[in-house]
Amino acid sequence: MVTRSTEDMDLAATVGEHDEERPARRLTGRWERFVWVASIAVALLVLKQVFWPFATGNQFYLVIFLGLTLPMVFLCYRMGGTAGEPDNPGPLDWALAVVALLVGLYPVLPIGGGDFAGGYDAFLDRQGILSTPDIIAGALLLVLVLEATRRTTGLVLPVVCLVFLAYAYYGGYLPQDWDIAHAGVDFSQIINALYNDQSGFYGIPLDVAATYIVLFTIYGAVLSASGAGTFFVDLSFAAFRRSRTAPGRTAAMSGFLLGTVSGSGTATTVSLGAITWPVLRRAGYPRENAGGLLAASGIGAILSPPTLGAAAFIIAEYLQVSYFTVLLWAIVPTVLYYLGIAFAVEADARRFGAKAVDIETPPVWQVLKHGGYHFLSLVIIVVFLALDIPPFTAVVYATGVAALFALISQLVRGGSVLGWLRLVADALAEGIRGALPVVAVCAAAGVITSTITKTGLGQELAAALVDGARNMASNETAVLVLTAVFAAVAVSVLGLAVPVTASFIIAWVVLGPALAHLHVAPPEVAMFIFYYAVLSEVTPPTALAAVAAAAITGGSVMKTMWQTWKYTLPAFLVPLAFVLTDNGSALLLQQDAVTVLWVAVVSALGVAALAVVTGGWLFGPARWPERALCVPAALLLLYLQPLSIAIGVGFFVAAVVVHLAGRRTPREQGAP
């Protein structure tokens, strides 16, 4: 079974303290063994569904999946307080787990009597006319889902769900001249929509969690268990060797690679910081700047192909496109994001007088020779997706390849097949346990989406947002700009309180229609919301990834947040370019190759201008006139219209001229 070193536990505690997801219990003894066995059983169920799906349909599988995973939340996550020794579930936790198992599986259990029959088909036949036992079971499941969400992510999301439920029930009491007023939904119909409808607990969010996210979580656990994380860091150190910018580049590259085995921006930040902060410190990085770089690198991992964040799978389902298509949309924004980090690293290395750090690493070719096989499973995912093979099938094959190479590595090091089987079993269990918070969040998100669908609230709020923008401006372009800015702020603020996945789902159903009303295409809307939902992890005043980085480096939390914002500024502005002009769709590869190329080049120039503003460096230290000129240059360049681009280029050229003149003047004044 899973055994953790003290160092691993310390890292897990740091992640749990600062991540959106609460830390899980540290189970011991028979409780650990029970959860281990249950997790493997759920993992086998998930794998079975990929190749031999239930003939009764996907919703039948979702009922079983939620019925088995929800009880595990009460066993793996504490009700409150801090971890103790031992930190095992108590009688109340077991009672909640048993009730969750019963009401979760109730729709498929052959329990009947009186005026109603048992079994799944009979349960579906009662849609809209639930029996009293159905309503009781559904109400209990609602309470348990909210409690599971509170245990895993905190109080905010359950409160948001309760607000939406109250709106559904009491909406009929609102003044009828209010746009958001409706006829009201009685309690039995609320439970029916949640429990016996595809827009409730068993809607798209849970479907994505049960078919995509959990498989990618298992893949990440297997990849990590095979030693991929260590290889990725070793490769990053070997790639840049010895130069004053090498430590910063190494941190950025390591973050990108480690994200493929983590899937969490904060977790990646903590893992990355534990390894690279000592090197950054030796290079002369101030604590806050190093923390900002670590947080930006950690978050970049879930903005980037080939894995992206959990919300990317929901985008694919909502838009009915392949996951590979979503990966393609993310390519150019990812390049621009890391280009911004690269510019900032180059500027910081010069401003701080960073020193080269000697790190004993073998040459790149030798590192690749010994561990390059770790890339093969990632390549398999991309190739299979390109061949239009479903992502859940692709990731299962990739997981098998990663496990196979782990076996070979185990045997080469003198290990045994039995040891390998234990490693794979531990990874399967760890993957399921790692997905539990996402399962709880996705089930809770069904409460919100179901309420919005039932009451039409999304369209009303979207119309109110657009009307607010129209009250401030009459020009349609200005209305779009204001709406996009309001939406960006709303998603960022929403993300301060709820996890990324829930933030995306809520914003999609509330803010998405507002942008769609202004003729923004669905791909641009989805990616716009996705980026701001993810960036909430580095948005002050919470900025969870930055707080975690500050805990690693010992720097000031607020200063680290602002340094993180400096590194990630391009990611905050580039999504606006998606939606403000027709050319913005080229950033998502939605246009011809020539348009994509020139739009990418212009956007890169805009990112460079932003780097001058935030980094204070051009060809040397940039003074305030150059930095001031680069502000309109960046904004105009990212508004991808020919006239604004021409003016933006003019501002940037002016900044360069002023900068060069300023550098030349002191030498000329000192000449004899």
Side-chain angles (χ1 to χ4, degrees):
M1 290 174 308
V2 179
T3 57
R4 298 185 177 97
S5 66
T6 302
E7 182 179 355
D8 290 337
M9 289 182 178
D10 290 341
L11 285 176
T14 303
V15 172
E17 183 180 354
H18 302 294
D19 202 357
E20 292 170 311
E21 297 170 1
R22 300 286 184 87
R25 283 189 168 108
R26 298 177 184 176
L27 301 175
T28 58
R30 57 182 177 177
W31 311 121
E32 169 73 7
R33 289 191 292 272
F34 177 83
V35 171
W36 183 79
V37 171
S39 299
I40 291 176
V42 174
L44 294 176
L45 169 70
V46 172
L47 294 173
K48 178 260 180 199
Q49 180 67 9
V50 173
F51 298 104
W52 303 284
F54 287 105
T56 43
N58 191 58
Q59 188 168 341
F60 182 86
Y61 163 66
L62 295 180
V63 169
I64 295 177
F65 178 82
L66 183 62
L68 295 179
T69 52
L70 188 62
M72 293 175 60
V73 173
F74 299 105
L75 301 181
C76 294
Y77 289 83
R78 65 188 69 87
M79 178 173 289
T82 57
E85 292 294 343
D87 191 18
N88 291 318
L92 178 60
D93 300 308
W94 280 103
L96 292 175
V98 170
V99 174
L101 180 68
L102 292 176
V103 298
L105 296 179
Y106 170 85
V108 300
L109 293 177
I111 300 176
D115 295 331
F116 72 97
Y120 181 65
D121 290 337
F123 181 75
L124 292 184
D125 289 340
R126 295 194 296 275
Q127 189 174 74
I129 48 171
L130 296 183
S131 65
T132 299
D134 296 340
I135 296 172
I136 294 173
L140 288 172
L141 184 60
L142 171 61
V143 172
L144 291 168
V145 165
L146 295 181
E147 169 60 11
T149 307
R150 187 197 65 81
R151 290 190 179 207
T152 55
T153 65
L155 191 60
V156 175
L157 184 55
V159 169
V160 171
C161 291
L162 290 174
V163 169
F164 275 90
L165 288 170
Y167 168 74
Y169 188 77
Y170 292 106
Y173 295 98
L174 295 174
Q176 291 304 302
D177 57 341
W178 288 15
D179 290 336
I180 62 171
H182 61 90
V185 184
D186 65 50
F187 185 73
S188 64
Q189 289 305 306
I190 290 175
I191 297 301
N192 180 82
L194 296 175
Y195 201 30
N196 201 345
D197 193 285
Q198 293 186 353
S199 66
F201 297 134
Y202 311 113
I204 288 178
L206 184 66
D207 187 13
V208 169
T211 53
Y212 297 108
I213 296 173
V214 69
L215 287 169
F216 273 84
T217 306
I218 291 172
Y219 166 68
V222 172
L223 198 61
S224 179
S226 70
T230 302
F231 162 72
F232 290 149
V233 174
D234 290 344
L235 179 63
S236 300
F237 278 116
F240 297 113
R241 307 295 290 179
R242 188 180 186 278
S243 72
R244 62 181 176 180
T245 58
R249 294 175 182 175
T250 298
M253 180 176 176
S254 298
F256 172 74
L257 294 173
L258 284 173
T260 61
V261 299
S262 169
S264 164
T266 303
T268 302
T269 298
V270 172
S271 301
L272 180 64
I275 299 166
T276 60
W277 161 233
V279 179
L280 293 171
R281 181 173 52 198
R282 287 166 56 194
Y285 271 76
R287 296 177 184 273
E288 291 78 12
N289 291 78
L293 175 59
L294 293 173
S297 300
I299 289 299
I302 57 174
L303 288 171
S304 310
T307 51
L308 292 174
F313 299 102
I314 297 177
I315 291 174
E317 285 298 309
Y318 277 160
L319 300 186
Q320 291 297 292
V321 298
S322 69
Y323 180 62
F324 183 70
T325 300
V326 180
L327 295 186
L328 292 178
W329 292 344
I331 289 175
V332 175
T334 296
V335 172
L336 294 175
Y337 181 82
Y338 281 98
L339 187 63
I341 291 181
F343 285 147
V345 165
E346 297 295 323
D348 283 353
R350 288 160 175 78
R351 285 175 58 211
F352 307 139
K355 305 181 295 290
V357 178
D358 287 319
I359 302 172
E360 293 186 7
T361 57
V364 173
W365 67 267
Q366 194 169 342
V367 176
L368 287 171
K369 176 183 175 182
H370 288 98
Y373 60 85
H374 288 296
F375 282 121
L376 185 58
S377 61
L378 292 170
V379 172
I380 286 175
I381 290 177
V382 175
V383 171
F384 278 24
L385 292 176
L387 295 174
D388 208 23
I389 294 175
F392 43 83
T393 304
V395 73
V396 169
Y397 284 119
T399 303
V401 169
L404 177 62
F405 278 112
L407 171 62
I408 296 172
S409 177
Q410 185 97 345
L411 295 176
V412 168
R413 294 197 306 266
S416 65
V417 174
L418 183 61
W420 171 77
L421 289 173
R422 178 62 58 85
L423 181 147
V424 172
D426 286 347
L428 290 174
E430 197 72 19
I432 293 298
R433 291 181 63 173
L436 292 179
V438 180
V439 172
V441 166
C442 287
V447 174
I448 297 170
T449 57
S450 178
T451 300
I452 290 174
T453 301
K454 201 79 174 173
T455 62
L457 177 63
Q459 294 294 334
E460 295 298 337
L461 292 179
L465 180 63
V466 175
D467 289 343
R470 288 207 165 105
N471 288 334
M472 299 175 66
S474 57
N475 180 274
E476 282 300 304
T477 299
V479 170
L480 176 57
V481 171
L482 288 171
T483 303
V485 171
F486 292 159
V489 172
V491 178
S492 298
V493 171
L494 180 64
L496 299 179
V498 300
V500 170
T501 305
S503 175
F504 174 83
I505 293 168
I506 296 170
W508 173 259
V509 296
V510 174
L511 301 174
L515 292 169
H517 181 74
L518 296 174
H519 311 295
V520 181
E524 288 90 271
V525 174
M527 296 303 285
F528 172 88
I529 295 174
F530 169 69
Y531 274 88
Y532 282 111
V534 173
L535 289 169
S536 64
E537 290 202 18
V538 291
T539 301
T542 54
L544 297 174
V547 174
I552 296 290
T553 65
S556 163
V557 172
M558 288 307 299
K559 290 181 179 178
T560 301
M561 286 183 187
W562 289 113
Q563 289 299 322
T564 304
W565 188 79
K566 176 191 76 175
Y567 281 103
T568 58
L569 183 58
F572 280 93
L573 294 183
V574 167
L576 287 170
F578 299 165
V579 301
L580 294 184
T581 66
D582 292 338
N583 290 327
S585 63
L587 291 171
L588 304 180
L589 304 183
Q590 295 287 294
Q591 298 197 34
D592 61 89
V594 174
T595 304
V596 168
L597 180 60
W598 75 256
V599 165
V601 170
V602 170
S603 299
L605 189 60
V607 169
L610 285 174
V612 175
V613 176
T614 59
W617 194 272
L618 194 47
F619 300 109
R623 300 165 303 156
W624 72 263
E626 300 102 278
R627 297 172 78 171
L629 286 168
C630 282
V631 172
L635 296 177
L636 289 166
L637 285 166
L638 290 174
Y639 189 79
L640 299 167
Q641 292 288 70
L643 179 59
S644 64
I645 292 170
I647 299 173
V649 170
F651 273 107
F652 193 60
V653 170
V656 173
V657 170
V658 170
H659 178 72
L660 293 177
R663 296 188 70 196
R664 192 179 303 117
T665 299
R667 291 196 296 270
E668 291 174 351
Q669 291 175 345

